Amino acid sequence: MEIAFGILGQTAMLLHGKVDVKWAHPRSRQVLAALLTSPNQRFPVDAVVDWVWAEHENAPRGALATLHQNAVHLRQALQKSGIPARVGVGKNGCVVEIDEALVDHRAFARGMARARELRDRGDHRRAQIEAQAAVRLWRDDPLADLRTQRADDWRAQWTRGHWLPANAFLVAELLAVGHADVALGRLLELEHAHPLELSLAKLRLRALAATDRPDEVTEFYFAKRREYRDIGELRAADELRAVHDEVISGDGDFPRPAVQVRAVAAAEEPAGQAVWHVPPDCDGVEGRAELLAELDAFTSDSSGASRRGVVVVTGGPGVGKSTAVVRWAHRARRRFRHGVVLLDLRGDGQATSANSGEVVDTLLSLLDFPVDQVVNPVARAAKLSALLHQRSMLVILDNVRGREQVAPLLGVLDACTVLVVSRWRLPSLAATVSPPVVTVPPLAVPDATALLDRRIGRRARDDRAGVAELVRVCQGNPLALTLVADRAAARAGMLLSTLAGQLRDADMLLDLGYEGDALQRSLRAAFTASYQVLGPGERRALAVIGAHPGAEVTAEAVAAGDGRPLPAVRRSLDVLVAAHLLEHPSDLDRYRVHDLVHAYAASVAEQLADGSAVRRRLFDFYLVMAYDAHRLVFPHKPPPRLPVSRTHPGAGFGSAALARQWVVREKNLLLEIAAAGGSESAYLPALFAELITEMGFYADAVSCLTGAIRSIDEVLAEGGESVPELRQVLGSHLNDLAVVLMHMGEEGQAEHHLRRALALAETDGFPLGRIASTLNLARWHLRVGRAPEAAVLCRLALQVAYELAEPSLCAAAAHRLANALVAAGGFEQEALDLYAEALEHLWKSEDGTARLQIHTALAALLTDLGRLAEADDQCRRASELTPVCLNLPAVMKLNTVLARLRHRQGNARAALWYAHRAVELADRTRHATGQARALSTLAAILRDHGNREDARALWVQAAELYRGRARTRRAAEVEEFVAELDASEPVIPAARDGERDTVAMPPPRLRRNR
């Protein structure tokens, strides 16, 4: 088994064909180990901290920044090794994206699944080889680098659920192929670490018997049974006695053949042939290896013999529950000597469901018992129970509607292995008998692709792009994939991409497979079967979800659209979750609906009598929540306008932090609502665009603002009563769009929007709009190298702000004017005074971002003037504000100034750290000029410490960024540094004094921005 990463021991990486456990810094290895426990799954930041930092260690204060640093180290190691993996760290969590087959514990599980499949085919030799290969992946205690509670829990769970069963399986296969001595030796090693493990004790009895050691069999049995009884494990003692009795039943004869592992005398077999009542097997079931392995584990003991009990198999409509179970039944039939029976209980609503009496009669008939001889239903059930206690059988109850269908049967079938297959989660059954639950998920993309390849044939292999589109349309639903493949086969002349385009029509996709017959085989029929058994409240909740524009929704949003009280809606949502029509994937009050279910729910929503009112209430909910989020996050700013028909809402969030989190979670949904068009949708971007801009989501902000501007222009072209109000909203959007474009370095586009916004404000006599447009135009002049013009505009804006006597506006104008004067040169003292004035205006303000920006600008000027102690004080004040600042460009600029300041102070290590941090933030935000500024600062530091080659490369990259954004003056300044570097001879740095001047941090990996 070829792996790339291992956590079954110390965190290892395969480098140059060898396992290396010291391939990165220990903390970085610990972070990766935690993420590899669930590859391709996103971990919350707090969870990663709990995984990595033990209780006796101090968890990092800036956890996200610390994890970013470790992610950088991991990416460098991955790039060096050439392993196709990606480590992602952000506010929404941490993830490692990798082919799971390259991770040892996942490769272990797949290897054991193959071994069990070979065992079920009777190929014990190959099964033993596969199991041996999987077991060899274990190098030491799992997660040996981690000693936290989460790691301990995972380690214990993995050992109990995977390691011990795998070793028991291997020992059983060694016995089956006649290697009893090897099996016994392995058992002795395992029992030393797990002395009370019952499965190992059972196998040791069999191994001792197979090696002709009858005295040791009895001696070991009595000693181990006494141990179990002494600690109160009476059930374990009884099970051990049953195995002992079986082993010694051969009158002291202990042959080596595999049949001794699980032998039953022919005389004990009930009369008659084994019962086989199962549909034909389905060839080529894709992506269900782990599911089949789970069923193996829950229905067999460590020796491979069948285990009595109930297992629930559940999943949504069309996900392939019955198909997977039938496939597993064909594979596992050798384990059930007296037969396998699958009964359809018809609980999907298509016909009258089967009751317990019908099930009892059917099973009696299949066992050739004359049912008409017993009239009393209770007596029939008792007779069936007696017959089954003589047999080893598997009974599959398919299409179960609820607990009431199967609860009367559990006592009758207690001698069997029972699989309950249902599209419902059956929580009441779980509360009664606590069965293992196996959930059948949609197929992963590779498995869905393989299914289409197999069913469509050569056309699929020749049109990979078309297959990929079909896979996206079907969203992993096996029924949808099968129907699509059948349609493709029936339309041999149609391109697969054309078919995918047609199937983007939701109604066509839902009705695919319907051919006018009564027995429909379509997605709509599958979903309707679940819908018909819902109550009125649940049907309405599903329809509201269909009217909702996004695939994720909260209970509050559904209640707003539904109109019922929140507790009643929550109860309906719980029912939908139980029916697999809705998912509740986390501990947050958020629900997710599969795309195909959402398409069906949308068709249901079209039938609502009050459909338009439901959609209006949903829109109002998000409009009001976004308004309140803006009000809390920006309390110092005038609130944006709402449509005249809306009242100002009350508090929807407990704090500004919760409001920010809500905007991040709902960002994509808000963008979708804003893109819907119409005059009222155009109000929404003003409520959240500024916030997502500060978080660095520039492309999203541009998209929603551009769409809103287009919608307002269309409404204004038609006229209407709300035209004056919409003109002010339009001016606000134009200003906001221009600011985002300038952040992205698109100054040419920004100018057009700013001049249009200023013209609107002057025409309508709107002073706030005039100040905002004037200051943003000044910023634009400053960016294109026209500092004097910028200063003139800022003075005009400052005068208007004085007239309005609004502190925040005065502070903004003074700040911008100071920036312009610094850029113009020769006005340093006036700039210092203006920065101080701006801070004075904001003395009582909660606008931490504005204060941080002013402190940063003041620190930069003081650094240039050589007043380093004062600059240090300003940087300290700015740093104290970073926890409340979501404006990444502002934090990035602070890190750039700190790098320059520490460099001037002679602290090379700190200067490099801050420079790297600035580059990292610039890369995350795609802030073009910020990237250039950070790279140029880092280059200057590297040059002064003799790293000329990397300094030159960074300056060249910075110059390209400046020129790409039409910042020709700044580009020319940077190119002068390159020219000076090329013209001068390399200088050997002075000898370093110990560690004081050592520069150990490497430069960032150079990237070429296109």
Side-chain angles (χ1 to χ4, degrees), residues 540-549 597-605 615 618:
R540 180 169 177 80
L542 183 64
V544 171
I545 292 171
H548 188 268
V597 179
H598 195 238
Y600 176 78
S603 69
V604 174
R615 292 181 175 85
L618 284 170

Side-chain angles (χ1 to χ4, degrees), residues 384-396:
L384 176 62
S385 178
L387 292 173
L388 292 176
H389 271 81
Q390 303 173 22
R391 292 166 168 80
S392 170
M393 288 188 64
L394 167 66
V395 177
I396 303 170

Side-chain angles (χ1 to χ4, degrees), residues 102 115 136 282 325 360 376 427 566-567 573 602 662 703 711 776 901 966:
L102 300 178
R136 287 197 185 107
C282 303
V325 166
V360 169
N376 190 307
L566 181 59
L573 294 177
W662 182 84
S703 174
S711 296
N776 286 326
L901 176 60

Side-chain angles (χ1 to χ4, degrees), residues 117-263:
E117 185 174 354
L118 291 167
R119 187 270 314 276
D120 292 340
R121 295 176 185 172
D123 193 342
H124 295 284
R125 171 67 65 185
R126 290 179 61 197
Q128 177 250 322
I129 293 172
E130 283 285 350
Q132 190 82 51
V135 168
R136 287 197 185 107
L137 292 174
W138 172 289
R139 292 172 288 111
D140 197 352
D141 284 342
L143 299 176
D145 293 331
L146 292 174
R147 295 299 169 187
T148 60
Q149 186 60 52
R150 282 183 182 262
D152 291 344
D153 293 343
W154 191 90
R155 195 163 25 245
Q157 182 180 5
W158 197 88
T159 301
R160 171 65 57 184
H162 296 274
W163 174 243
L164 287 175
N167 277 278
F169 178 93
L170 176 58
V171 168
E173 293 309 292
L174 286 168
L175 292 172
V177 297
H179 293 167
D181 292 329
V182 178
L184 189 58
R186 186 161 193 87
L187 282 170
L188 292 175
E189 294 178 6
L190 292 166
E191 287 175 354
H192 180 72
H194 308 280
L196 294 176
E197 176 60 34
L198 178 61
S199 63
L200 300 181
K202 292 179 180 179
L203 285 168
R204 185 168 176 185
L205 286 176
R206 299 183 188 281
L208 290 170
T211 52
D212 295 330
R213 303 181 188 184
D215 294 338
E216 292 185 38
V217 169
T218 302
E219 180 183 352
F220 174 77
Y221 162 66
F222 282 117
K224 185 60 66 175
R225 185 167 181 265
R226 188 180 307 112
E227 285 186 48
Y228 286 134
R229 293 180 67 87
D230 288 345
I231 62 174
E233 291 287 346
L234 301 182
R235 181 176 177 181
D238 291 342
E239 291 188 29
L240 190 66
R241 182 178 63 182
V243 175
H244 174 261
D245 293 346
E246 179 185 331
V247 166
I248 66 173
S249 62
D251 296 326
D253 183 22
F254 301 101
R256 291 179 180 273
V259 294
Q260 185 63 30
V261 175
R262 185 75 177 181

